Structures are given as structure tokens and as C-alpha cells.
Amino acid sequence: MKGKSRLRYRKKTFRIDDSYNTVLCLYRAYEEETLTDEEKIEVAASLLVTNHRLYLSAMPAAWKAELVELILKKYVELPKRPPVRTHGEQSLDFWRDKGYILSSFQKDYGIDLIKEQGKMKWKEFIDLFQGLSEDTKIREVMRIRTMEIPAYNGRNGKEIQEISELKAYYMLPVKGGGGKQGLNRLFDILEAQAAGKGT
């Protein structure tokens, strides 16, 4: 759980920081539309690799991209799961929902995620996230975001209004397309898988 993560690449052993907060910082950088793919790879390498800094900075761009891809595949990507039906709405944003996630971990597990920064591995974080009970705040918010608004039947106007107001309150901003290779899509996939609660 708390062991050191390493990756051997081109005859060098790189120490990897795959703590949950580092991956969330990486997620934030990947979401930034003003960064090019090359800049995102630079950010990813600087966040994920904790040694061989001079070697890393001098590394050819293609090697660096390959190294980052290998790290992401080994330490960040989740096992493939069937798609989750969400009526088209995005139910989770790791970064914008961090407050809800913090309170939910505290409620269910008694874990203070702030104290776990630099310690808890990303995949452990995801396992615990998927195990959160339905009465935690993040699960409630995700449920509201994907809730269907019933068709009007002459008697349910108040219910429709209440659901609509809740959905508007918790709605996530629409993400820009970006369209930059597969980098921007990685965390969309991770969010969708995490939201599936292991289904």
C-alpha cells in the first residue's frame, strides 16, 4: 500500500509518485486547455517522476511521452469496466468535487485525506472511493446529477421543480473539447469508471 513505486525505463530506474493528490494535480493540468500535449507531458513527468531530474529534462520528447504513458498505464489507469448509464450527464469531477470527496472519506472511513497526501496511492484511493456508501455526500451529489426529470403528469409539478433546482445547483460546467490526442480523455474515462462504483 505505502511501498515505493518504481519503473525501469531505458536502463534507468525511476521513482514514481503515484499518490492520489499528485494524480489529482495531474488531472487538473490535463484539464487545462491552454496547455499543449507537449506541455502536459512535461508537467506529468515533473509530477510523477521524483529522481533523475537532469536526465529527465534532457530526455527526447518522444522518450518522455513514452515514459509518461508507461507510468500512467501501470499506476494510474483503472481496469476496464462496462460503461455506466448516466443519461448523458457527467456525474463526477475529481477536482471540483474534492470537498464532497473529503467529507465522504471522513464520514465512511474516518480518513482525513489531507493527512494522506503523499501517502495514499491513487489506486487505493479509487478502491475506497468506489466503496463509499450511498449516504455519503459525494454519492448523493452524483445521484442528483444523473437523476431523470419525470415527465409532467399534472400532479408532479413541485417534484419536477425540486429535482430541476437540485440538478442546477450541483451541475458541473461543460468541459471544453480540447481534442488533443488521448491525453484529455484519460481522466474522463477514469471519472466514468470511478462513478460506476465497481460495476
Side-chain angles (χ1 to χ4, degrees):
M1 178 173 90
K2 306 263 193 283
K4 299 291 183 187
S5 302
R6 291 182 169 84
L7 185 78
R8 186 83 177 160
Y9 178 74
R10 294 188 178 268
K11 300 182 180 178
K12 285 199 178 291
T13 300
F14 293 92
R15 290 198 301 267
I16 309 303
D17 180 358
D18 59 331
S19 58
Y20 85 92
N21 52 296
T22 294
V23 176
L24 290 180
C25 286
L26 178 60
Y27 161 79
R28 183 69 169 151
Y30 273 29
E31 197 182 42
E32 182 52 64
E33 291 182 29
T34 60
L35 295 178
T36 64
D37 268 353
E38 292 73 22
E39 289 168 332
K40 289 178 182 180
I41 288 166
E42 288 290 338
V43 170
S46 68
L47 285 171
L48 295 167
V49 178
T50 64
N51 64 339
H52 298 305
R53 295 290 189 174
L54 288 175
Y55 179 82
L56 192 66
S57 64
M59 186 184 281
W63 291 14
K64 201 174 295 185
E66 186 177 39
L67 174 62
V68 167
E69 184 178 350
L70 290 171
I71 295 169
L72 293 178
K73 279 188 176 174
K74 184 169 184 180
Y75 292 110
V76 177
E77 285 186 13
L78 305 175
K80 286 184 170 53
R81 293 189 172 95
V84 181
R85 301 175 80 95
T86 61
H87 312 298
E89 297 98 337
Q90 182 188 355
S91 66
L92 174 66
D93 183 304
F94 286 125
W95 189 261
R96 291 181 177 87
D97 290 334
K98 58 183 182 287
Y100 301 140
I101 295 170
L102 285 170
S103 67
S104 298
F105 269 64
Q106 187 69 55
K107 179 183 184 298
D108 261 14
Y109 305 122
I111 293 174
D112 183 344
L113 280 176
I114 293 172
K115 291 181 179 175
E116 289 295 319
Q117 290 183 0
K119 301 177 195 173
M120 184 183 287
K121 303 286 189 182
W122 169 251
K123 289 187 177 178
E124 180 191 357
F125 166 81
I126 289 296
D127 286 342
L128 290 171
F129 181 90
Q130 290 179 329
L132 287 169
S133 60
E134 289 302 320
D135 62 346
T136 53
K137 186 62 180 179
I138 187 61
R139 288 289 171 200
E140 176 195 352
V141 169
M142 290 165 63
R143 193 165 52 250
I144 289 167
R145 286 175 181 155
T146 57
M147 195 180 291
E148 284 192 271
I149 298 175
Y152 182 65
N153 62 15
R155 300 180 304 278
N156 61 349
K158 186 177 179 184
E159 179 192 3
I160 290 171
Q161 182 181 350
E162 287 173 353
I163 293 173
S164 299
E165 287 174 357
L166 281 170
K167 287 176 76 70
Y169 182 80
Y170 290 114
M171 185 174 61
L172 291 165
V174 177
K175 290 184 180 178
K180 296 184 176 81
Q181 298 177 2
L183 293 178
N184 292 335
R185 290 193 298 275
L186 171 63
F187 285 96
D188 291 338
I189 293 166
L190 290 177
E191 284 174 341
Q193 289 178 327
K197 200 177 179 184
T199 58

